[in-house]
Amino acid sequence: MALTQKSNSLIELDAVIVGAGFSGLYLLHRMREAGFSTRIFETGDNVGGTWYWNRYPGARCDVESIYYNYTFSDELLKEWTWSSKYAEQPEILSYINYVADKFDLRRDIQFKTRVDSAHFDEEKNRWEVHLNNGQTVSARYFITAVGCLSASNVPKFKGLESFKGEWYHTGRWPHEKVEFKGKRVGVIGTGSSGIQSIPVIAKEAEHLTVFQRTPQYSTPARNQPNDPEYIKQVRENYSEIRTQMRSSLTGIPAVPRDRSAFDDTPEERRRTYEAAWEKGGLLTISYSYNDLSLTPEANETVAEFIRSKIREVVKDQEVAEKLLPNFYYGTKRPIIDTDYFETYNRENVTLVDVKKAQIEEITPSGVRTADAEYELDMIVFATGFDAMTGPLFKIDIRGRDGVSLKEKWAGGAETRTYLGIGTAGFPNMFMLTGPESPSVLSNMMVSIEQHVEWVSDCINYMRDNNKEVIEVNVEAENAWTKHCREVAEPTLYVKTESWYMGANIEGKARGFQIYLGGVGPYRQICDEVAEKGYDGFTLKASEESVVK
Ligand code: NA7
């Protein structure tokens, strides 16, 4: 189908995709292959999404590189070789650029263009999409590929505008090299971004002050170059690996040991945790036993083990004490690092506990906490994101009766979706890795491919069956949201104030918005929905479409 431009300001398409990250790019490819006129609108000036924006020093993926790539093209799998176990941001960005070129995707991507609003026109059964450059696009389908962690959060500290030095947010890092040499740098935040960047900045800066609110559990990544023999084996077996990834719980072919933490003696447990610590990696420790995320007692065994390692690594015991986490392990995003705790043994690093004495204001020359003032030349905000709903709410999305998504979801407090893919009252709109899908608690690549394939298959089905409108049924939505909450409720996740719960954003309602049933079972549910002719959705041909 051809793209038509009626005038300078109206573009007609089959589908609009928002965002040129991993999900948007693959969907564009699938849609074009199927003959749909599709265009991506992207704020940045190049492809990459998360990996375009998060260029901070030390940025790296914590899912093993061999699992963190597209798997839809065997040719692509053969062509690309990851240099190390955990790929660095520049290498991932090169990969995304390579994919964009290989599949000639750029010609249908409009860069430096923000989607400001998308309103469903009930008379035409089309989405009217407004861009920040004044253009209007009319499309049958509106698909958000905006990622879960793209709305960066710079807390509203008093006085920030008065700061005379440089400041950056890790998720909006400049393209030019940021110079730390000879500077007094402050990093606020010790989530994954802080923990990845702190050791790198410490090596360059004259002095680094880390402002920590919540100490974190972090375990060694033990990154290493990929052995060519290993890569050869992976290539030969990728078909099997892909099947395992797709049917696994997290999108990584690993299973928790079928054993409770209390099936072992304390000595055996310690040996198990020590071996996992030495091996490194994301799921190594957390998969040591099957009840670590379920019971406080089992959880405490791994939590205390990590605390003991922190006491061992950090030489100054006063500093070590400040670094000891005390929430349930794994209920905030588990982190893997390279020399994070070791960094506090450096002479040029100071740790400040801002839970004890909170940041009161940013002054022209630094940061003032309740009990001290810190002179700084640069502040790095590693303060995270308005996750899940944040990126969607940045767009004024309105469905039937002009109701906005933000209103429908009461600012996030009442988020309701069907499968995390659609929401009632917003016909022909699909969300890739949306709230209430496995998303951030899975290997995003597996979840992205599954959503993209499901959505593009659905749009194909619509065309093949002469349907014009697809819309989530309220009953199906209510049942899915209920199911999501029931799966999360017995876990320890809901007991911790985390960004999974919306707790990192001032005034944001608390609620767990990730489907914890696992990517394999989730895929099965989605497949069954499709096999039953999109059970839980109402599909209408053009003549039967509801016109109010
Ligand atoms: P995170 O994990 O949300 O971490 C943000 C950090 O910033 C965390 O330590 C926060 O403390 C801290 N923070 C946030 N607001 C403040 C204020 N006002 N004062 C002091 N400290 C603050 O974001 P990341 O970018 O590190 O990682 C996001 C995800 O990207 C990661 O989980 C991976 O999935 C990839 P808190 O814990 O809220 O007390």
Side-chain angles (χ1 to χ4, degrees):
M1 273 173 233
L3 175 155
T4 54
Q5 189 146 356
K6 280 192 171 163
S7 69
N8 277 345
S9 56
L10 184 71
I11 304 163
E12 293 215 47
L13 295 168
D14 292 321
V16 158
I17 301 172
V18 192
F22 272 121
S23 59
L25 293 178
Y26 181 33
L27 185 63
L28 172 62
H29 176 62
R30 290 274 296 201
M31 293 290 284
R32 269 193 350 200
E33 292 286 288
F36 293 106
S37 64
T38 307
R39 194 183 284 186
I40 293 181
F41 297 97
E42 163 61 53
T43 319
D45 66 6
N46 210 335
V47 296
T50 289
W51 301 103
Y52 170 91
W53 297 106
N54 286 267
R55 296 162 181 258
Y56 60 85
R60 191 182 280 286
C61 184
D62 50 17
V63 172
E64 281 177 54
S65 51
I66 57 157
Y67 307 130
Y68 194 81
N69 47 210
Y70 290 119
T71 67
F72 69 85
S73 161
D74 287 337
E75 203 179 279
L76 181 59
L77 281 166
K78 286 200 187 90
E79 285 168 3
W80 190 267
T81 304
W82 294 107
S83 65
S84 63
K85 188 168 178 190
Y86 298 103
E88 269 187 303
Q89 175 271 339
E91 191 175 9
I92 301 173
L93 192 56
S94 305
Y95 172 75
I96 303 176
N97 275 278
Y98 179 84
V99 172
D101 293 334
K102 178 178 171 69
F103 297 102
D104 189 19
L105 299 176
R106 290 177 208 279
R107 68 184 151 91
D108 288 309
I109 306 174
Q110 195 167 317
F111 293 109
K112 297 189 201 166
T113 308
R114 195 181 61 228
V115 171
D116 282 338
S117 66
H119 297 172
F120 186 68
D121 181 331
E122 295 184 53
E123 307 242 315
K124 297 184 187 141
N125 286 325
R126 291 179 74 84
W127 282 89
E128 193 170 283
V129 179
H130 294 277
L131 310 174
N132 67 330
N133 63 3
Q135 280 179 310
T136 303
V137 186
S138 165
R140 177 70 68 214
Y141 297 100
F142 175 68
I143 305 154
T144 59
V146 291
C148 304
L149 297 164
S150 56
S152 51
N153 164 45
V154 178
K156 292 184 186 69
F157 289 118
K158 187 178 149 205
L160 177 57
E161 65 296 336
S162 73
F163 184 57
K164 294 251 163 41
E166 307 154 68
W167 69 264
Y168 308 101
H169 184 277
T170 49
R172 283 286 179 278
W173 200 258
H175 288 215
E176 308 73 45
K177 173 157 172 46
V178 172
E179 212 45 78
F180 302 108
K181 211 164 162 231
K183 289 182 186 155
R184 296 161 304 173
V185 181
V187 173
I188 303 178
T190 51
S192 302
S193 308
I195 285 180
Q196 286 187 335
S197 58
I198 284 164
V200 183
I201 298 174
K203 281 189 196 137
E204 264 190 64
E206 183 186 305
H207 193 89
L208 173 65
T209 308
V210 176
F211 297 90
Q212 168 195 269
R213 187 162 70 180
T214 308
Q216 273 279 8
Y217 297 100
S218 183
T219 57
R222 312 252 183 244
N223 192 28
Q224 59 193 44
N226 276 331
D227 176 15
E229 187 50 37
Y230 171 65
I231 291 292
K232 187 167 163 265
Q233 277 174 24
V234 166
R235 279 213 177 103
E236 281 165 8
N237 294 299
Y238 214 93
S239 166
E240 174 59 20
I241 292 172
R242 177 170 34 213
T243 307
Q244 287 174 11
M245 282 160 73
R246 290 181 170 199
S247 59
S248 67
L249 287 178
T250 58
I252 298 168
V255 275
R257 277 209 311 161
D258 189 17
R259 197 172 174 81
S260 156
F262 297 107
D263 288 341
D264 279 352
T265 63
E267 294 71 31
E268 283 165 341
R269 261 197 321 261
R270 174 98 202 167
R271 275 199 297 278
T272 300
Y273 291 142
E274 282 284 0
W277 181 273
E278 280 316 307
K279 190 166 177 228
L282 193 63
L283 296 177
T284 329
I285 281 208
S286 52
Y287 273 12
S288 297
Y289 297 103
N290 60 11
D291 48 357
L292 299 182
S293 64
L294 295 176
T295 75
E297 297 75 18
N299 193 281
E300 180 57 19
T301 66
V302 64
E304 188 44 34
F305 169 77
I306 298 174
R307 285 184 214 118
S308 76
K309 295 308 275 188
I310 298 171
R311 289 191 195 99
E312 221 174 275
V313 173
V314 179
K315 291 190 186 127
D316 180 334
Q317 286 308 295
E318 250 181 67
V319 177
E321 280 305 307
K322 282 195 220 166
L323 287 165
L324 301 183
N326 63 1
F327 55 91
Y328 293 120
Y329 168 75
T331 55
K332 279 174 177 264
R333 175 67 148 74
I335 298 172
I336 57 174
D337 69 87
T338 303
D339 296 338
Y340 174 63
F341 293 113
E342 287 81 351
T343 298
Y344 293 96
N345 294 332
R346 293 178 66 99
E347 292 285 308
N348 69 334
V349 176
T350 307
L351 177 66
V352 177
D353 178 353
V354 296
K355 197 159 245 168
K356 202 161 142 234
Q358 70 173 25
I359 297 176
E360 303 230 306
E361 67 173 320
I362 310 281
T363 67
S365 57
V367 167
R368 193 169 63 74
T369 65
D371 63 4
E373 199 150 345
Y374 301 87
E375 301 247 314
L376 302 168
D377 303 305
M378 185 194 294
I379 303 174
V380 173
F381 291 94
T383 42
F385 303 88
D386 182 355
M388 318 302 295
T389 50
L392 293 164
F393 290 164
K394 274 174 38 180
I395 308 168
D396 175 26
I397 303 173
R398 289 177 189 268
R400 288 201 190 279
D401 301 321
V403 173
S404 79
L405 191 64
K406 203 168 175 177
E407 282 161 1
K408 179 185 166 181
W409 288 352
E414 292 294 331
T415 303
R416 306 179 94 74
T417 78
Y418 182 39
L419 306 171
I421 293 177
T423 187
F426 293 76
N428 291 4
M429 170 177 149
F430 297 105
M431 297 170 287
L432 301 181
T433 68
E436 300 183 346
S437 74
S439 69
V440 290
L441 279 168
S442 70
N443 172 1
M444 285 302 272
M445 294 306 294
V446 175
S447 290
I448 282 170
E449 285 195 334
Q450 186 250 335
H451 266 187
V452 166
E453 286 161 15
W454 193 95
V455 168
S456 53
D457 286 350
C458 172
I459 293 175
N460 270 314
Y461 177 94
M462 297 281 292
R463 179 177 59 188
D464 295 348
N465 291 278
N466 200 26
K467 302 288 184 196
E468 192 172 280
V469 179
I470 178 164
E471 188 167 358
V472 168
N473 299 337
V474 175
E475 305 73 43
E477 174 171 293
N478 288 343
W480 181 254
T481 298
K482 186 163 171 272
H483 174 57
C484 270
R485 291 177 190 170
E486 280 169 358
V487 175
E489 207 45 46
T491 71
L492 298 173
Y493 281 105
V494 296
K495 299 198 184 333
T496 296
E497 298 279 273
S498 68
W499 61 256
Y500 295 146
M501 294 290 291
N504 64 325
I505 301 294
E506 224 181 298
K508 189 169 176 176
R510 305 289 196 273
F512 193 79
Q513 294 174 352
I514 305 154
Y515 181 57
L516 275 180
V519 299
Y522 173 79
R523 174 185 294 270
Q524 230 173 335
I525 295 168
C526 292
D527 287 350
E528 278 163 23
V529 165
E531 277 154 25
K532 289 184 191 155
Y534 296 93
D535 192 25
F537 291 89
T538 298
L539 277 62
K540 293 192 176 112
S542 48
E543 60 276 13
E544 353 157 14
S545 298
V546 180
V547 179
K548 290 184 62 105

